[in-house]
Amino acid sequence: DYLSRILKEISDSQDPGKVNQISSEISRLDKQLKRLTETKKSIEERNDKLKRFFLMKYYIFYRKKIKETEDAISKLTKDQEGIIEKKKKKIVASRKLFETINLIFSKINKNHEDLTKDLVALLPEEEMRLKLWKQHPDLKFEKIENYIENFDDGLELKKISQEFNAILLKESEKTEYKTQIREYEIYREIIKFFEDLKRLYKDEEIIIPGVDKSIQDFIDILIDNNRENTKIHQKIELINKCVKNLTEIENDIDSLKNFHFNELVKQKELETKDVDTPQKMDDVVLKKLKDELKDYNKKKDDYRKGILEFGINPLYVDQDYENLLKKETSLKSYIDYTEKQLKDELKGNEENIANLSREITTTSGELNYKKKELEKIEQKKVHPFHKDEEHINALANTSRILAQKFLKNYSDYLKDLKEQSPEKIVEDKEKIRYYEELGFYFGKKLRNIIYNGVPQTVEFVDLIQEAIRMDNGLKAKFTDFGTGESQATYLKSVLETSRNDKRKLIVLFDEVGMIDDIRLNQVIESLRNLYEEEKLLLGIIVQKGQNVEIMDLI
């Protein structure tokens, strides 16, 4: 109980080891908080530059797209209006169908015009086909009545389109292109990995083993090595665009020949001589251009707001964009990124910043908690036995084991000694060992006994065989002792045992008539020893006799 109380006091006192542990934890959290804060700041700075780059790049991009789309709408509208004016004098077919045919012709001509530059770039070796393509006349609206009977121009254009389509599809399916496209994607992933690594260790000069280059130099090498793959990637995208436009030309020509021209013949028979004012054109091509223009304007306005928030004047955005690329060379790796890829990159950075913010908040809270915990512990005093806590714990555990042995195990052994036969007892080695130790203990306590009238020194009391062994080898059974001898032996044992008691004794022995004088003198001798050791206050022995007689035993 005392040891448990001391251990409780130690646990409630200041623990120098815990102070050192918490101090180390505070130091670690301080470093971690600093690292997280610096990493967050680094990503924020880079993300800020990347966002400037992104906003300026696509403000310029959509500004250009708006101009191109407005020019296309203007040209298409002007051409359509002129053609309609001419057609009003020549035909009186249904305006709706007529306008639809006109717009399909415009769409075919536009696709034909737009494809010329791309086909020359992709297939310079196809000189004959390119010559036929370039020389092929636009499908004129005033010739539409002739096309009802003869649509050779359209069919020839369809044939050339099909030939180019087959060549491009075959070109796009080359095995080496697939390999290079795969390499392009792998390079992009590797470049992104090293860019993330560079951001994470921006303050450290890391040299990549094997190439002996810094991370940025290695990124530049990767970008340079990936340029050919990037060109192939762009080439495949251009091929897909051309295939799409060529397919549209083929489908539009089939639509005109197989449906619109025949339908126009039928409607001419029903056409009246009165010519109505043509309605405003709103066909698929023009509607698509107008929808695109609306979308481009919205995006341009969004990017304009973004660059204004960064203090960038839209009038000088081109110059600021070029200056940014010169100053921040690392941004060049993002030039080939699409709008979606840049948005994803910015979103990823913002998620990293948000995660770091949460980590900073958590680490800061844990750091404050540890500081308060340290302050609270330091207010306590160190217990004088703190350094011995380990030994006290060991001693307490040993004490609990001993208590268990005395309260349960040894108590049960004594009970078994009374209730079990010697044959059963000897089967338990632990019990035998206990009984042996107990036998030596009783031997020391009894010390001397009178056996057959002769004083003997006791060495061992055999509790199992119920015998006493003397130091001279003599053995005596318990039954060899008479009642008086047993009583004297018992009283002497009690007195000898009491010598270890710190308290003063008052000894009263009554009815000792069965003890003979020799054995009684041994009991008296034990009383004298206690008296001389100042442990005996009073000792009285009462013995039956014929007359009353009081004797001083001192």
Side-chain angles (χ1 to χ4, degrees):
D1 291 342
Y2 170 73
L3 292 174
S4 297
R5 185 169 69 253
I6 292 298
L7 289 172
K8 176 67 169 59
E9 291 174 359
I10 292 173
S11 68
D12 292 338
S13 66
Q14 183 186 130
D15 184 349
K18 193 169 185 180
V19 169
N20 293 334
Q21 179 187 351
I22 295 176
S23 297
S24 298
E25 188 69 10
I26 289 173
S27 177
R28 183 188 68 80
L29 290 171
D30 269 327
K31 292 178 182 177
Q32 181 176 330
L33 184 61
K34 183 179 179 181
R35 178 179 59 80
L36 291 172
T37 303
E38 289 176 351
T39 302
K40 179 188 173 190
K41 182 180 179 182
S42 172
I43 296 177
E44 285 175 336
E45 289 175 354
R46 181 166 184 79
N47 200 56
D48 180 80
K49 294 171 186 176
L50 183 61
K51 193 169 185 180
R52 285 173 178 268
F53 166 81
F54 170 67
L55 293 171
M56 287 192 286
K57 174 181 172 68
Y58 281 97
Y59 174 77
I60 295 170
F61 174 80
Y62 284 112
R63 186 186 62 187
K64 181 179 178 182
K65 293 294 289 184
I66 288 170
K67 178 68 170 57
E68 292 174 352
T69 307
E70 287 176 341
D71 290 345
I73 291 174
S74 177
K75 183 177 181 303
L76 182 59
T77 303
K78 183 178 180 181
D79 290 346
Q80 291 286 10
E81 289 175 352
I83 292 171
I84 290 175
E85 289 298 323
K86 292 177 182 179
K87 289 294 180 179
K88 284 187 346 182
K89 299 176 182 179
K90 296 181 178 181
I91 62 174
V92 288
S94 171
R95 282 191 301 274
K96 185 174 181 180
L97 181 59
F98 187 79
E99 290 169 1
T100 300
I101 293 173
N102 287 335
L103 290 174
I104 294 174
F105 271 92
S106 296
K107 180 183 175 186
I108 293 171
N109 290 334
K110 186 175 185 307
N111 275 336
H112 176 255
E113 180 183 354
D114 292 341
L115 280 165
T116 301
K117 180 180 178 181
D118 295 335
L119 290 173
V120 170
L122 289 170
L123 303 170
E125 69 278 8
E126 297 291 333
E127 295 180 358
M128 293 300 297
R129 288 190 176 86
L130 288 171
K131 184 177 180 181
L132 291 173
W133 180 271
K134 292 177 183 178
Q135 292 177 350
H136 195 282
D138 285 346
L139 302 182
K140 302 294 183 181
F141 294 115
E142 57 266 29
K143 291 184 179 181
I144 194 166
E145 289 182 330
N146 297 333
Y147 287 154
I148 294 174
E149 299 296 333
N150 182 3
F151 195 39
D152 290 343
D153 287 348
L155 295 177
E156 180 64 24
L157 182 61
K158 175 185 175 184
K159 179 183 176 184
I160 301 174
S161 297
Q162 288 175 328
E163 291 174 354
F164 276 123
N165 218 336
I167 293 171
L168 290 173
L169 286 173
K170 184 177 180 181
E171 177 72 9
S172 67
E173 292 174 355
K174 286 184 177 180
T175 304
E176 59 266 30
Y177 287 167
K178 294 180 181 179
T179 302
Q180 287 182 286
I181 289 299
R182 180 57 183 158
E183 288 179 357
Y184 167 81
E185 295 171 349
I186 293 173
Y187 264 101
R188 291 310 308 161
E189 290 298 321
I190 295 174
I191 290 169
K192 186 176 185 302
F193 168 79
F194 279 101
E195 287 172 345
D196 292 339
L197 192 64
K198 181 186 174 186
R199 286 194 294 273
L200 185 61
Y201 298 99
K202 72 179 188 67
D203 294 329
E204 298 180 29
E205 185 62 27
I206 297 177
I207 301 300
I208 300 175
V211 294
D212 294 328
K213 300 286 184 181
S214 67
I215 293 179
Q216 182 57 51
D217 291 341
F218 190 60
I219 290 173
D220 293 339
I221 292 172
L222 292 173
I223 292 172
D224 186 63
N225 290 342
N226 197 33
R227 291 199 182 280
E228 288 302 318
N229 295 330
T230 303
K231 290 178 182 178
I232 296 301
H233 173 72
Q234 294 171 344
K235 181 177 181 178
I236 294 299
E237 288 188 339
L238 185 58
I239 288 174
N240 293 337
K241 174 188 171 187
C242 291
V243 168
K244 177 178 177 295
N245 290 342
L246 288 168
T247 302
E248 286 182 357
I249 290 176
E250 296 170 24
N251 292 339
D252 288 340
I253 291 173
D254 286 340
S255 176
L256 288 171
K257 184 176 182 301
N258 299 328
F259 174 75
H260 291 93
F261 293 162
N262 295 331
E263 190 67 21
L264 184 60
V265 171
K266 294 177 184 178
Q267 291 188 9
K268 280 177 63 70
E269 298 174 358
L270 303 174
E271 192 69 26
T272 62
K273 294 182 180 180
D274 297 327
V275 180
D276 297 329
T277 303
Q279 298 177 354
K280 183 179 179 181
M281 294 180 296
D282 192 17
D283 68 318
V284 175
V285 176
L286 191 57
K287 184 177 184 303
K288 180 182 177 182
L289 288 172
K290 288 181 178 180
D291 289 343
E292 287 177 350
L293 181 62
K294 183 178 179 181
D295 185 53
Y296 294 157
N297 273 306
K298 182 180 183 305
K299 289 187 175 180
K300 177 194 167 188
D301 289 341
D302 290 340
Y303 287 117
R304 186 175 186 276
K305 291 177 183 177
I307 63 175
L308 286 173
E309 288 176 0
F310 276 98
I312 301 170
N313 191 329
L315 296 175
Y316 307 108
V317 66
D318 297 87
Q319 182 179 349
D320 290 343
Y321 177 72
E322 294 299 327
N323 290 337
L324 181 64
L325 285 177
K326 290 178 182 178
K327 183 179 178 181
E328 303 294 338
T329 56
S330 61
L331 293 174
K332 291 180 180 179
S333 61
Y334 295 100
I335 289 178
D336 296 329
Y337 274 41
T338 64
E339 184 178 12
K340 182 180 182 304
Q341 286 175 326
L342 281 173
K343 283 183 177 179
D344 290 343
E345 185 75 12
L346 288 168
K347 182 180 178 182
N349 288 341
E350 289 168 359
E351 288 176 353
N352 285 339
I353 292 170
N355 290 335
L356 286 168
S357 296
R358 285 192 289 271
E359 285 190 62
I360 288 171
T361 300
T362 301
T363 304
S364 180
E366 188 176 355
L367 179 61
N368 290 334
Y369 173 79
K370 291 293 182 183
K371 286 181 177 179
K372 290 179 181 177
E373 185 180 9
L374 180 61
E375 182 181 353
K376 184 178 179 182
I377 292 175
E378 287 179 335
Q379 290 175 354
K380 298 179 179 179
K381 293 182 179 180
V382 179
H383 196 278
F385 293 159
H386 178 81
K387 64 181 183 301
D388 302 311
E389 182 179 11
E390 182 180 351
H391 301 299
I392 295 173
N393 255 317
L395 185 58
N397 290 333
T398 302
S399 298
R400 293 187 191 99
I401 294 171
L402 287 173
Q404 170 67 19
K405 286 181 179 292
F406 278 107
L407 295 174
K408 180 67 171 68
N409 300 29
Y410 296 164
S411 178
D412 288 345
Y413 292 170
L414 293 174
K415 182 179 179 182
D416 292 345
L417 190 63
K418 297 178 181 180
E419 297 178 354
Q420 296 184 11
S421 63
E423 293 78 12
K424 290 185 178 180
I425 291 175
V426 295
E427 294 175 358
D428 190 330
K429 293 182 179 180
E430 182 65 20
K431 282 184 183 179
I432 294 301
R433 183 166 175 266
Y434 172 71
Y435 296 147
E436 287 177 353
E437 295 295 335
L438 200 58
F440 284 113
Y441 169 77
F442 285 150
K444 290 180 180 180
K445 290 299 180 183
L446 286 177
R447 291 189 180 181
N448 300 308
I449 62 172
I450 302 298
Y451 180 58
N452 293 330
V454 180
Q456 300 285 348
T457 300
V458 178
E459 182 181 66
F460 179 75
V461 179
D462 190 337
L463 300 173
I464 298 174
Q465 300 300 328
E466 296 182 343
I468 298 174
R469 186 175 70 224
M470 318 305 176
D471 61 352
N472 58 7
L474 184 65
K475 290 185 180 180
K477 292 286 187 179
F478 289 176
T479 54
D480 293 343
F481 292 87
T483 303
E485 190 170 14
S486 298
Q487 187 178 22
T489 300
Y490 169 72
L491 294 178
K492 188 174 183 302
S493 174
V494 171
L495 292 174
E496 292 297 329
T497 303
S498 300
R499 296 178 72 177
N500 296 323
D501 199 319
K502 295 181 180 181
R503 296 172 295 180
K504 302 294 185 181
L505 302 177
I506 295 177
V507 178
L508 302 176
F509 289 159
D510 190 17
E511 298 295 337
V512 295
M514 299 184 68
I515 302 176
D516 59 29
D517 291 340
I518 296 175
R519 291 170 179 77
L520 183 58
N521 285 334
Q522 290 181 344
V523 175
I524 293 171
E525 182 62 26
S526 293
L527 280 173
R528 287 196 183 100
N529 291 336
L530 288 172
Y531 180 77
E532 290 172 356
E533 293 173 3
E534 296 184 352
K535 292 184 176 295
L536 183 67
L537 290 179
L538 175 65
I540 298 176
I541 298 176
V542 179
Q543 190 174 30
K544 184 178 180 182
Q546 295 296 326
N547 301 309
V548 176
E549 184 182 357
I550 299 176
M551 296 175 59
D552 189 351
L553 300 179
I554 299 302

